[in-house]
Each structure stands twice: as C-alpha cells, then as structure tokens.
Amino acid sequence: MPQPGSNYAQPSPDGHFGQHGGRFVAETLIHALDELEVLYEQARADPEFQAEFAEDLARFVGRPSPLYFARRLTERLGGPQIYLKREDLNHTGAHKINNCVGQALLARRMGKPRVIAETGAGQHGVATATVAARFGLECQVYMGVEDIARQSLNVYRMKLLGASVVPVHSGSKTLKDALNEALRDWVTHVDNTHYIIGTVAGPHPYPTLVRDFQSVIGQEARSQCLQQMGRLPDALVACVGGGSNALGLFHPFIDDEAVRLVGVEAAGLGLETGRHAATLNDGQVGVLHGNKTYLMQDADGQISNTHSISAGLDYPGVGPEHSHLKDIGRAQYDAVTDEEALAAFRLLNQTEGIMPALESSHAVAWVVREASRLGTGQIIVINLSGRGDKDIQTVAELDGTTL
Amino acid sequence: MSRIGPTLEALRSQQRTALVPFITAGDPQLAVTVPALNALVRGGADLLELGVPFSDPEADGPAIQASSERALANGTGLRDVLKCVTEFRASDDQTPVILMGYLNSVLAMGEGAFAAAAAKAGVDGAIIVNLPPEESKSLRNALAEKDIDLIMLAAPTTSDDRLSAIDRAASGFVYLVSLKGTTGADHISVGEVNQNLARLRGRTRLPILAGFGIKDAATARALGEQADGVVIGAAIVSRMAALRADADAIPEALYRFVHDIRQALDA
Ligand SMILES: Cc1ncc(COP(=O)(O)O)c(C=O)c1O
C-alpha cells in the first residue's frame, strides 16, 4: 500500500482510478457495497483483523512464498537474472487463495453465512470453495459451461470441497457470463450472501480490497529482493487476466519509479487476428461488471468473445487500476500468443522442474522474448501466479495424447 | 419537456394507474417491434419501455436475457432501436417512449451523440439499469439538454438518505424496483412493495412506477392502489418468445394481454 505522502494515492474516495473504476451496478446492490466498504475500512485499520489474516496466510496458505533464482533458465536465455515469485506453491496452487482468505474473513465479520464466486479456469472457484470449507460457509460457484468442459478436474475438486457448481448457459458461456450470473445471485440473496470476486475488478470497493489482499505478494517480494540481492529488481513481470496477481506484485513497488512494471496479456492466436484477450492492448473504455475500464467490445458496445489458451486470462475486461496505470504510463502492457505461452510452459518444466499454469506461462514467455533486450546485470522478478497441474489435460490434448 | 411528465400528470388527475409494458427491440425480429409497440398502445399502454439489447444484461432474469440474445442474434444495435422509435413516431406522437438498457451501449455511441440521436428519434426518457445517481451526472446533463428524462431506480435495499439523493438526480419518475432480484423474478410481495412505496413517497416529488416481477392483472391492480404506475416486462417478453415461430401473431397477442390488464386496472 502506498505510504502517506505517496505520489500515488488511488483510488479516490468514491472508488475511481483516474477515469476508471467507480460503481456501476443495479441500485439493489449499492447498500451491500456501502456496507462492505465501511466494514473493509474498519478491518483494514484493525490490528486484530490483520493478525488473523497474517496467521491464515502463514499457516493455511503456507506463506511466505519463496523468491527463487531460476539459474538454468537464466543461463539458457543468456539475459537478465530471473527470479520467480512462487505463488504456485500456495495451498490450492495459485495466488487466488490470498484474496479468498481475506474475503472469507470479511464475510465472517459481516455475519454472512453464504459466499458465491465466479470462476473461469476454476482456480478462483477452488480457492473460494476451500476457504468456505475452512470457515464453515455455504458456497456456490458459477462457471460457464464452456469452461466446465475444459476444466473438469477443478469442477470435481470444488464438489469434493462441498461447494455446488452452477453451470452458466447464457451469452458466451464463459467467465464473463459466470460473473453476470453471480451478480444476479447476489442481487437476489444480498441479505445473507457475500460475493467473493476473484480479481481486481467489479464495483468499488472490490478492486481496492482484492489488490490489498494480494499485495502480500509484492510486500514479500520487495523484502526478499532486498534481503537476497541487496537491491530492488529492475522489472516485475506478471500475467494479466483481471489483473490481481499482477497488481498484488506491482503495488508495493508503485512508488519505486525505477522498477519497471510489465503486465502480460493473452494475445491468443495473435493480436492481428482479433482472437485474443489483450484488453489493454486492443480495447476501448467502457462499463462492464460494475466498473469503467478498458474492454474488448464492438462499435455498438457489445462485449466481444475473447480467446486464450488459458481460461484464467480469457476475459474481455481488466481491473480499472491497470487501465489507470496504462493511462499514466506507470506500467507497460504487452501481449504474448498461445504459442509463445506454450513454449514457455515447456521451457520452464525442462529447465527448472517447475510446471507453471498456462496463465503464468504468459509472463515467462514475455521474458523469453525480451531476454536479449534486457541486460545481463538486470534483475527480473516473474510472478509465477499458479502451478500447471490443472492444465496438463489441455497441453496433452494439444500434443495429441489422450490421458 | 418530455412527454413523460404531462402524461403521468394527466393520469394522476384521472386517478388512473399508468400501464407501462416493456419489450426488447429486435426480438424476435426488428420488423415486429413497431407493430408490437402500436398494439401495446391500442391495448391500453400509457408509456412504452423499449429495451436496448446488450450482451451482458446482468440485472435481467432468464426471460429478458434470452430476449436480448435473440435481438443481438438478429444484429439489432442501438441505431436500429432508435430507427424503431422514429418509425413509431410517424404514427404516434403522444405516447412517451423510454429506452431501457445498460450504460455501455450509450458510452459506445457517446453520451452527447446518444442524447442528440434519441431526441431526434422522439425518445422521452432513458433507464440505465447499471447507472446509480453518483455516476450519472454527465449523462443526465447531456440528456437534460435535449429534454430527455433520466429515470433513476430505487430498490428495497435503498436507505432513506439515498432515496432523497435519487430524487434529486431523477426526472420524469422514480422507478421502484419491487423486489431483491432480477427482472422476471417470481417472489414479489405486494405488502413489501407498498412499504417501500410509502418510504419513497415521503422523499420524492416525482411519480413512482413499480417494476420487476409484475406478471399478471391481479398484482398490477394491487400495486396500482399505491403506485402511480406499473411496468410489465418479462411476462410480455415470454409471450413473444412463445410466438416467435409465428411472429405475425405477436401484435394481436400483446394487444389482448395488455387490454386485460388495462381493464383490471380501470375496473
Ligand atoms: C494461475 C492464475 N494466474 C493468473 C490468473 C489470472 O487472474 P489475475 O489476472 O486476476 O491474476 C488466473 C485466473 O484464473 C490463474 O488461475
């Protein structure tokens, strides 16, 4: 979190990040958002809440996650010194759990016995089902039928955790439609239900509170850099779907202006094909899912169907703070294709014995592509946002192997 | 001034409840939209709500979602919706027309351009489901310049203080969302709506129309005791969906449905 005196105090009191963010929802939800905002402000300032959060991150999630020097990858690429922030080692296998623990604690404080979530790849659904079990909350997860088909392992996993998974048949039947359906559930059951949004998007205060819960990634990375290398890194690289793992890593470095921030979007089959999910590279400003931000949309304002090999990046919007960081030039957003991400997936397996999620493989792929332009003295931290076990089926299919 | 204020004022002086049907433009096809609007007026509609189809209708239940998907599959865009209004105005210069939709459709056209095009077509009001008063200033100003009302929604969860803020931002009327839920929900409680109506009545100078989950004449009539008007959407859209293979029969079916409700309201 930026300190008092930071030249970067976002959002504004009404939840805007520059021209982005805000609160664009049905009136019925405003009361719940007001309540959440007040409760979150209290919790944020309450040492007891912070202690509970830290305790669960340590003992349930397994934090801190290591900052690992990828020696053989560094040697192979012959460029910068590459470090991996190992969010893949968290309980449930991705950064998503950090936010879910925080929000489950908020749900408990609000006395709400039921939580709902949307999920694309299933990682956020699994993380939500996990904390629901941990805190004894009823849990319902919305998932597009397209995603249910490509992430069957995670669907079963959620069921084992006691959650019910609701298939969403509307629209494009993917993550954005799951989010719509979760909003419809919330508007109907707002009295007893907390909606655990899985990324730094949605109406205020979600982008802020998800960022804050995920900022543990950057806080750890910052002190690990100082401890292990004696200095701050030259660049941070993270994949951007909605943008929570990226913002969690970036945010504690936001005032360190010498540290370059690079978000990597999914270029899918290639930016020029239109079959991608690179919102910050190719989108226009609009309003979806409660916030103003860059969106993939057509001239009539209809939201486009996106494509990425990685379900977790396959989203036509992006968190509003990223849109602002793009506008002010503090962060840079590039995109890598399915093919580049797959090559990086294989490379990291074989050079380091680490299987990254296909989402995280996008961040690795950017470093592979840019390595020759980054000096050998540079230190790069890649956010390895999750592990790739969930993607083995997808990769095997591409290899023509039936498991 | 838009047609909405005078129309509601006239109804009030006659002690009649405003009947406001909703259809989605372009569902099941664009050619049906204007004949359907005319039939609704013949049946006794006082104001019309015309839905602007959107890819992500997060406040709508299954019936209106499906209707939006059908309209989009036909390629219906905001410009087509405005063309329907222009065409409707050629034969009806009296009945207020209110567009209902989501903010992104307006932003994609540009707020100023939308206001100008809507005024030219003969639109009287806009209901933007995902635009609360706090974020509404620039669109409100753009529309006000063209004498188009921006109608605000109030919900069962809205606090008393917010009701006053909503009144300050609204023009035309206040749309009271009758239940916690989406359009077409089936858990409406007349008693609860009336409580919220009474709460809102003390905080607004504007007429109050109730909508969401009103599906039949009996409910419309019961709510009409307190509300200045009722909006009926999903029930109409579902009837249109059932007839989509026989679209020529839609206007007559809508006429009969609305006519029955009109009679119940006036009885
Ligand atoms: C491992 C992993 N990384 C990244 C993402 C993308 O989300 P975000 O951009 O919010 O970090 C996901 C989403 O499912 C994920 O599972």
Side-chain angles (χ1 to χ4, degrees):
Chain A
M1 223 170 298
Q3 297 308 303
S6 161
N7 54 23
Y8 180 84
Q10 295 287 343
S12 64
D14 57 356
H16 290 89
F17 301 88
Q19 65 163 320
H20 304 283
R23 202 179 256 183
F24 297 88
V25 293
E27 174 62 27
T28 310
L29 291 177
I30 297 283
H31 177 70
L33 293 168
D34 279 343
E35 210 176 55
L36 179 62
E37 183 181 358
V38 168
L39 184 112
Y40 176 60
E41 285 307 321
Q42 287 165 356
R44 172 144 87 169
D46 179 356
E48 200 178 310
F49 180 88
Q50 293 301 337
E52 275 179 327
F53 183 49
E55 170 81 11
D56 255 52
L57 288 182
R59 304 207 195 283
F60 187 62
V61 176
R63 306 201 68 92
S65 69
L67 183 67
Y68 166 78
F69 178 51
R71 183 179 309 279
R72 288 202 346 111
L73 180 66
T74 295
E75 284 167 4
R76 176 72 71 89
L77 297 180
Q81 312 285 303
I82 300 166
Y83 287 79
L84 305 176
K85 180 62 175 161
R86 298 291 307 275
E87 293 300 298
D88 60 310
L89 295 177
N90 293 342
H91 180 41
T92 71
H95 69 291
K96 297 282 180 189
I97 191 84
N98 303 326
N99 167 47
C100 289
V101 168
Q103 290 205 49
L105 288 169
L106 291 179
R108 198 171 66 175
R109 282 208 162 198
M110 287 185 283
K112 294 196 168 175
R114 179 174 180 266
V115 293
I116 55 171
E118 83 294 341
T119 198
Q123 285 306 105
H124 175 58
V126 165
T128 304
T130 299
V131 299
R134 155 88 180 80
F135 291 98
L137 305 166
E138 186 192 335
C139 178
Q140 203 154 68
V141 179
Y142 290 91
M143 191 167 185
V145 290
E146 292 273 334
D147 291 330
I148 286 180
R150 53 181 171 173
Q151 304 284 340
S152 54
L153 200 67
N154 271 342
V155 175
Y156 194 60
R157 202 168 158 196
M158 287 183 263
K159 290 180 182 165
L160 289 174
L161 288 159
S164 62
V165 179
V166 185
V168 176
H169 295 271
S170 56
S172 64
K173 306 170 179 39
T174 61
L175 178 57
K176 77 175 178 70
D177 310 282
L179 223 150
N180 293 334
E181 207 53 40
L183 285 168
R184 292 178 190 122
D185 178 310
W186 200 30
V187 91
T188 308
H189 301 107
V190 62
D191 292 334
N192 74 343
T193 298
H194 174 63
Y195 179 16
I196 302 190
I197 292 188
T199 192
V200 284
H204 177 62
Y206 280 104
T208 303
L209 69 87
V210 177
R211 171 196 78 194
D212 292 350
F213 289 142
Q214 290 293 3
S215 288
V216 66
I217 302 172
Q219 285 153 11
E220 287 175 6
R222 199 169 185 285
S223 55
Q224 286 165 327
C225 283
L226 293 174
Q227 204 169 47
Q228 291 171 225
M229 310 145 205
R231 71 172 178 91
L232 293 180
D234 296 285
L236 307 174
V237 185
C239 67
V240 176
S244 66
N245 87 87
L247 210 51
L249 177 64
F250 294 174
H251 212 258
F253 292 87
I254 211 105
D255 286 328
D256 301 313
E257 291 194 357
V259 179
R260 185 176 166 196
L261 310 177
V262 183
V264 186
E265 297 192 308
L269 302 180
L271 285 182
E272 68 291 349
T273 66
R275 304 260 298 132
H276 62 76
T279 312
L280 290 163
N281 280 273
D282 199 29
Q284 281 87 39
V285 176
V287 164
L288 178 70
H289 295 152
N291 61 112
K292 186 177 270 192
T293 191
Y294 286 96
L295 298 172
M296 297 305 303
Q297 55 179 317
D298 69 15
D300 195 45
Q302 308 299 344
I303 306 307
S304 312
N305 289 339
T306 50
H307 165 81
S308 169
I309 190 175
S310 113
L313 303 185
D314 204 351
Y315 178 62
V318 65
E321 192 163 4
H322 284 293
S323 293
H324 178 62
L325 291 173
K326 172 192 156 81
D327 286 354
I328 62 172
R330 176 63 187 96
Q332 154 196 1
Y333 296 90
D334 282 347
V336 307
T337 63
D338 287 353
E339 208 173 313
E340 290 173 298
L342 266 172
F345 172 89
R346 293 180 205 282
L347 182 65
L348 199 68
N349 268 286
Q350 288 163 19
T351 54
E352 296 292 344
I354 294 172
M355 182 181 294
L358 285 174
E359 290 81 9
S360 326
S361 300
H362 285 70
V364 178
W366 184 87
V367 174
V368 172
R369 187 168 80 194
E370 299 296 319
S372 62
R373 274 182 283 256
L374 302 165
T376 51
Q378 289 205 9
I379 294 172
I380 307 291
V381 174
I382 300 176
N383 200 4
L384 211 72
S385 56
R387 68 177 87 122
D389 305 42
K390 70 183 174 59
D391 299 311
I392 294 176
Q393 191 109 28
T394 304
V395 176
E397 266 170 40
L398 289 168
D399 284 343
T401 304
T402 324
L403 298 178
Chain B
M1 196 186 208
S2 88
R3 297 169 186 82
I4 295 173
T7 301
L8 291 174
E9 186 48 46
L11 286 163
R12 186 179 353 215
S13 65
Q14 300 160 22
Q15 295 189 309
R16 294 176 75 215
T17 304
L19 175 55
V20 190
F22 166 98
I23 64 171
T24 303
D27 171 35
Q29 40 188 273
L30 260 174
V32 173
T33 300
V34 175
L37 292 174
N38 286 322
L40 293 168
V41 175
R42 270 203 320 280
D46 300 298
L47 297 83
L48 296 166
E49 261 187 38
L50 188 57
V52 179
F54 181 52
S55 54
D56 294 79
E58 65 202 23
D60 285 301
I64 293 179
Q65 282 173 48
S67 125
S68 206
E69 284 184 22
R70 285 190 295 272
L72 289 175
N74 293 333
T76 309
L78 179 52
R79 284 170 185 80
D80 303 303
V81 181
L82 292 171
K83 269 188 218 149
C84 289
V85 180
T86 306
E87 199 183 316
F88 173 75
R89 280 279 169 253
S91 62
D92 185 330
D93 197 33
Q94 299 289 314
T95 313
V97 174
I98 300 158
L99 298 187
M100 181 155 183
Y102 292 81
L103 185 60
N104 206 48
S105 304
V106 172
L107 296 181
M109 183 177 275
E111 292 177 335
F114 169 71
K120 191 156 171 248
V123 168
D124 299 281
I127 302 174
I128 307 294
V129 189
N130 59 345
L131 184 64
E134 291 83 353
E135 305 279 1
S136 70
K137 195 170 161 198
S138 65
L139 181 58
R140 187 170 3 126
N141 291 342
L143 291 174
E145 233 173 78
K146 300 287 178 189
D147 290 328
I148 296 175
D149 292 316
L150 182 59
I151 284 126
M152 288 284 141
L153 297 104
T157 52
T158 307
S159 68
D160 290 350
D161 284 350
R162 266 188 78 78
L163 290 178
S164 303
I166 286 168
D167 170 61
R168 285 192 296 277
S171 63
F173 61 87
V174 177
Y175 189 131
L176 177 65
V177 176
S178 58
L179 47 75
K180 292 173 197 153
T182 52
T183 53
D186 49 16
H187 55 277
I188 192 166
S189 146
V190 171
E192 261 173 53
V193 181
N194 281 338
Q195 277 176 15
N196 287 315
L197 257 160
R199 220 160 47 88
L200 178 55
R201 194 64 88 187
R203 286 171 184 82
T204 184
R205 65 216 139 84
L206 293 168
I208 303 169
L209 273 59
F212 280 42
I214 305 170
K215 295 184 177 177
D216 53 42
T219 313
R221 187 181 159 81
L223 290 176
E225 303 275 322
Q226 305 287 330
D228 299 295
V230 291
V231 181
I232 302 184
I236 291 177
V237 163
S238 304
R239 277 174 174 72
M240 294 175 74
L243 286 172
R244 65 185 181 277
D246 184 17
D248 289 345
I250 286 176
E252 176 60 21
L254 295 189
Y255 166 81
R256 272 186 280 116
F257 180 71
V258 170
H259 183 73
D260 287 352
I261 294 178
R262 175 82 269 164
Q263 291 205 311
L265 287 177
D266 291 347

